Amino acid sequence: MTGGGPAATGGAPAGLDPRRFADLFATLAPIGRDPATGGYLRPPWSTVDLRCREWFTGQAQARGLRVETDRNGNLWAWYGDPGTGGAVVTGSHLDSVPQGGGYDGPLGIVSAFLALDLLAEHGRVPVRPVGVVAFTEEEGSRFGVACLGSRLLTGTIEPDRAAGLRDADGTTLARAMRAAGHPPDGLGPEPDRLRGIDAFVELHVEQGRALVRPVGVASAIWPHGRYRLDFTGTANHAGTTAMSERQDPMLTLAYTVLAANKAARLRDARATVGRVAVVPNATNAIAAQVTAWLDARAPSTSELNELVATIGAKARERAERDGTRVALQHESVSARTDFDTGLRDRIAALLGGAPVLPTGAGHDAGVLAAHVPTAMLFVRNPTGVSHAPAEHATDADAARGVDALAEVLAELACRA
Ligand code: GLV
Ligand code: MN
Ligand code: MN
């Protein structure tokens, strides 16, 4: 283990050599990276995902950890026997958004293995089981529901609904799991597994510019949700249909995107339309149907509800003017998470008064927090960019993150 708290947060020389972080991170980094952009394509249950899982298994086994895949496809590596209860778990996820950065998720897993190495090197022997977990489909990039693995584990999504979720090609989660060699027959909550965990700590790259020191501690996650907007119009010829005679759903969408932007700005909230599907998607045809996915986030549930209601009302108003129709569906909504204050304050103090900050990003830790005392560590992101190739953490900051995580694990798992 490192020395005192300041070493974990303030740049004192002790602790993990940044080159050790760089070396281990480099073994995972090529998997799923698009050489043309530097972005990552790691959809769950793809061949790339299976290679990430092999990497995880290899790292765990090299450390003498026992690896298991749970009924929902989450991967666990155990020091000690989780059956005895009282476990301390860390970890994150290995999947990415399409063309995402390399740190969102993997930073927490690489750091977990290195933190266990530090404990061993400093003779700190856990007196409880310690787990490293890689949750599946955290980004919801393939099947649409974020934090799918942790939602299934905690019973926050119906197993039948999850099994039937479809990707862009129409493949269901059940089929994708089966094809990847993980039959989905046991999907669903695992209360006994959760009962055996006394604390979960996820380390994650910070996803904006809010953290100015190498390591911080999370206070809360904003409530957020994903909503599907189906705009229906009338397909017709782009050259022969007078502008006044169109029922163009693309126009309704365009207005709705602007209205969402304005509604979010007025509330200091966030609204994003980052994905659309157009039918028939032809240059010289007015669209028949446009589907758009809205990602909305706000500091409080009432502000989020108000934001989404305003956007829905604006879309309906505009649809009436355009002669189109719009239907708004909630695909997945996550309540505000306030992390366990006792654990948060204990960790912030342990790390020498590390900054405590909220985030607008979603995490498996937010799902776990309703079931298990949970905390998050953030590592500074010098670009402030995330979900894009420019997402970054320096090796030096990442090493300080490992020091901090090792201190936390020592505190939570190595004392009687
Ligand atoms: C996950 O990273 C999210 O915030 O959408
Ligand atoms: Mn993410
Ligand atoms: Mn993440």
Side-chain angles (χ1 to χ4, degrees):
M1 279 302 306
T2 63
T9 54
L16 190 86
D17 183 333
R19 283 171 299 191
R20 288 179 62 191
F21 173 81
D23 288 349
L24 186 54
F25 197 74
T27 62
L28 177 62
I31 304 174
R33 184 167 55 201
D34 178 347
T37 61
Y40 282 86
L41 297 153
R42 290 174 173 163
W45 303 116
S46 62
T47 49
V48 165
D49 184 38
L50 296 183
R51 285 177 60 208
C52 289
R53 288 167 184 266
E54 272 169 30
W55 173 91
F56 179 101
T57 301
Q59 291 301 326
Q61 288 175 344
R63 290 166 173 81
L65 307 176
R66 189 178 60 78
V67 178
E68 59 165 337
T69 303
D70 71 19
R71 296 195 271 110
N72 298 303
N74 304 307
L75 254 180
W76 303 77
W78 288 107
Y79 172 93
D81 176 8
T84 60
V88 174
V89 176
T90 183
S92 190
H93 60 97
L94 291 167
D95 62 303
S96 73
V97 294
Q99 295 293 345
Y103 292 81
D104 177 354
L107 182 66
I109 306 234
V110 170
S111 299
F113 286 129
L114 289 170
L116 291 183
D117 292 347
L118 277 187
L119 288 185
E121 287 160 22
H122 288 81
R124 302 301 304 268
V125 180
V127 293
R128 300 156 169 270
V130 177
V132 178
V133 63
F135 286 111
T136 190
E137 178 67 314
E138 191 271 352
E139 300 288 5
S141 62
R142 181 166 178 188
F143 296 103
V145 174
C147 299
L148 188 54
S150 54
R151 280 181 199 271
L152 278 162
L153 169 69
T154 55
T156 321
I157 185 170
E158 284 295 316
D160 287 351
R161 179 180 167 221
L165 290 170
R166 288 179 190 275
D167 68 9
D169 297 329
T171 304
T172 60
L173 172 71
R175 202 159 147 222
M177 286 183 74
R178 196 166 278 117
H182 291 274
D185 310 325
L187 288 183
E190 291 201 67
D192 289 346
R193 184 182 290 277
L194 288 171
R195 258 194 298 280
I197 302 173
D198 268 10
F200 175 59
V201 181
E202 179 171 0
L203 178 147
H204 204 279
V205 67
E206 214 274 317
Q207 293 175 279
R209 286 186 199 280
L211 181 59
V212 293
R213 285 170 63 186
V215 178
V217 180
S219 56
I221 298 178
W222 279 15
H224 54 285
R226 294 177 180 204
Y227 311 84
R228 178 181 160 136
L229 289 148
D230 287 298
F231 299 93
T232 308
T234 308
N236 212 333
H237 194 290
T240 60
T241 316
M243 300 310 282
S244 58
E245 284 170 16
R246 299 172 178 219
Q247 292 96 44
D248 184 351
M250 193 66 90
L251 206 56
T252 320
L253 166 67
Y255 174 85
T256 304
V257 173
L258 294 174
N261 184 281
K262 184 172 174 186
R265 282 168 183 269
L266 288 173
R267 287 170 181 78
D268 202 16
R270 312 271 190 271
T272 307
V273 176
R275 176 181 164 207
V276 293
V278 182
V279 176
N281 207 23
T283 305
N284 56 353
I286 297 163
Q289 174 89 32
V290 180
T291 300
W293 284 266
L294 168 73
D295 179 306
R297 310 183 188 219
S300 70
T301 303
S302 59
E303 286 162 296
L304 178 65
N305 292 343
E306 212 185 276
L307 173 67
V308 175
T310 301
I311 296 168
K314 292 282 179 196
R316 281 189 291 277
E317 256 171 60
R318 180 70 200 200
E320 214 167 304
R321 282 166 59 190
D322 292 338
T324 56
R325 292 193 308 281
V326 59
L328 173 72
Q329 270 184 58
H330 295 205
E331 285 206 328
S332 64
V333 182
S334 304
R336 180 184 166 92
T337 301
D338 287 293
F339 288 109
D340 186 283
T341 46
L343 193 55
R344 177 198 73 193
D345 293 346
R346 189 171 162 199
I347 290 175
L350 180 73
L351 301 180
V356 175
L357 64 164
T359 179
H363 299 284
D364 294 304
V367 177
L368 268 279
H371 304 265
V372 170
T374 295
M376 286 192 80
L377 296 177
F378 289 134
V379 172
R380 177 166 60 183
N381 177 351
T383 64
V385 173
S386 188
H387 286 183
E391 177 183 279
H392 193 60
T394 65
D395 294 339
D397 283 355
R400 299 293 70 82
V402 173
D403 294 344
L405 183 60
E407 284 206 53
V408 170
L409 294 179
E411 167 81 3
L412 298 179
C414 296
R415 286 193 186 151

